[in-house]
Amino acid sequence: MLRFFCLIILLLLSIVKSFSQEQFIIDKVFTKLNLNQDLVGLDLMKYKKLPYDNNKAVFLIPVISNPDYEYDNIIYDAYILIIDTQNGKILNKYFEKDKWISDAFRLSNFTIDTGLYKLNIKTRAFGIRVSYSGSSKPNPFSQTLLNLFIIEDNILKEIADEIVVESYGGEWDMNCEGEFTDEIVIIDIDNEMNKGFFNLILRSTVKEITATKHGEDCIDTFEIRKESKKMKFNGNTYQ
């Protein structure tokens, strides 16, 4: 029992230490970039260590560029950073003015995607997934878009912009009957190259859903199809 409590204490101390280190880094980066914390979307901010290099982390900071916004029509500047996890030094920085807009389609979440985007023998990308959701009940909508980034010549570059990886939408009578489309996209790396980078293969599973009323029951019918397309690097971005 004593050993169990010792393990719990060590685990808690490790969590506290990790949180303290991350907070130290966040504070240091905010100071370095001279950011006004009141304009930072703190609930959307993301920080994640790179699984292939624990001494580095991706730090995403959305900063409101229109502080006088109305009705939740918010525009965000993008700060995407590679950080030294030991000392908080900014190793690489990507900045884009007015990159994200949250309006009728609300920007609900960011996810840092450190999947196996190995684009050539020495280049591995990471992704930023941006999720949106609609507010209309009769016309539900949600979508997740993927942007890919690489470090090239010590510069953090965006090489793919707004690839749709999840999408859901439709129209219904808010009782039962309606039609919906649900799409999930998996990205594979091709074995063919263009301009030095492997092609991306987008494999989609599209589910068409029809809801109909049968007496007291609401019955869903499904039609599923598979789709595939390639994106090629043109020397600057994937298209």
Side-chain angles (χ1 to χ4, degrees):
M1 182 64 73
L2 179 60
R3 183 180 178 185
F4 173 76
F5 282 118
C6 288
L7 288 173
I8 293 296
I9 290 171
L10 288 173
L11 177 61
L12 291 174
L13 288 174
S14 175
I15 292 172
V16 169
K17 181 179 179 181
S18 176
F19 177 80
S20 299
Q21 178 68 8
E22 286 187 13
Q23 190 58 52
F24 162 76
I25 290 173
I26 289 170
D27 292 342
K28 188 167 184 178
V29 169
F30 277 25
T31 301
K32 180 70 174 178
L33 296 177
N34 194 29
L35 295 179
N36 181 349
Q37 187 166 318
D38 292 337
L39 296 180
V40 174
L42 296 175
D43 57 329
L44 295 171
M45 190 172 67
K46 298 294 179 181
Y47 177 94
K48 184 178 181 180
K49 287 184 178 181
L50 293 173
Y52 44 90
D53 190 344
N54 279 328
N55 291 322
K56 295 180 181 179
V58 180
F59 190 11
L60 182 151
I61 310 173
V63 179
I64 297 172
S65 68
N66 62 331
D68 297 325
Y69 66 88
E70 296 181 352
Y71 307 113
D72 294 329
N73 294 319
I74 308 173
I75 302 173
Y76 293 98
D77 296 338
Y79 286 88
I80 300 170
L81 315 169
I82 302 296
I83 302 296
D84 186 313
T85 58
Q86 303 303 308
N87 55 30
K89 181 181 178 181
I90 298 174
L91 303 174
N92 312 96
K93 182 178 78 171
Y94 175 90
F95 172 80
E96 185 173 339
K97 180 72 174 171
D98 300 340
K99 183 167 183 59
W100 299 302
I101 298 175
S102 180
D103 47 25
F105 297 134
R106 183 176 66 89
L107 199 167
S108 56
N109 190 39
F110 290 105
T111 305
I112 297 172
D113 181 353
T114 53
L116 292 173
Y117 300 113
K118 195 72 181 292
L119 303 181
N120 59 32
I121 194 169
K122 64 178 183 179
T123 306
R124 179 168 173 174
F126 68 87
I128 300 294
R129 293 181 177 239
V130 190
S131 297
Y132 295 88
S133 59
S135 58
S136 171
K137 292 183 179 179
N139 298 98
F141 171 85
S142 63
Q143 190 175 65
T144 298
L145 307 175
L146 173 68
N147 296 4
L148 290 176
F149 295 84
I150 63 169
I151 299 171
E152 186 175 77
D153 298 329
N154 208 35
I155 297 173
L156 187 57
K157 298 172 57 176
E158 182 181 64
I159 57 165
D161 183 40
E162 297 190 342
I163 300 173
V164 177
V165 290
E166 293 182 26
S167 182
Y168 176 82
E171 182 177 3
W172 70 310
D173 62 5
M174 297 183 61
N175 180 29
C176 168
E177 296 194 341
E179 295 181 346
F180 310 90
T181 301
D182 188 7
E183 180 179 9
I184 301 293
V185 178
I186 302 298
I187 299 178
D188 289 332
I189 305 300
D190 196 9
N191 56 12
E192 296 181 353
M193 280 187 164
N194 196 61
K195 303 291 187 180
F197 283 179
F198 288 115
N199 302 331
L200 303 178
I201 306 175
L202 277 57
R203 305 189 191 278
S204 303
T205 300
V206 183
K207 182 188 292 186
E208 301 287 355
I209 308 163
T210 302
T212 53
K213 192 80 169 177
H214 291 273
E216 296 299 318
D217 297 324
C218 187
I219 307 298
D220 289 344
T221 57
F222 305 91
E223 179 182 329
I224 298 176
R225 67 179 186 273
K226 303 286 187 177
E227 298 177 351
S228 178
K229 70 174 184 178
K230 288 187 179 183
M231 298 184 71
K232 297 181 179 181
F233 189 66
N234 64 9
N236 184 47
T237 188
Y238 275 93
Q239 291 183 331

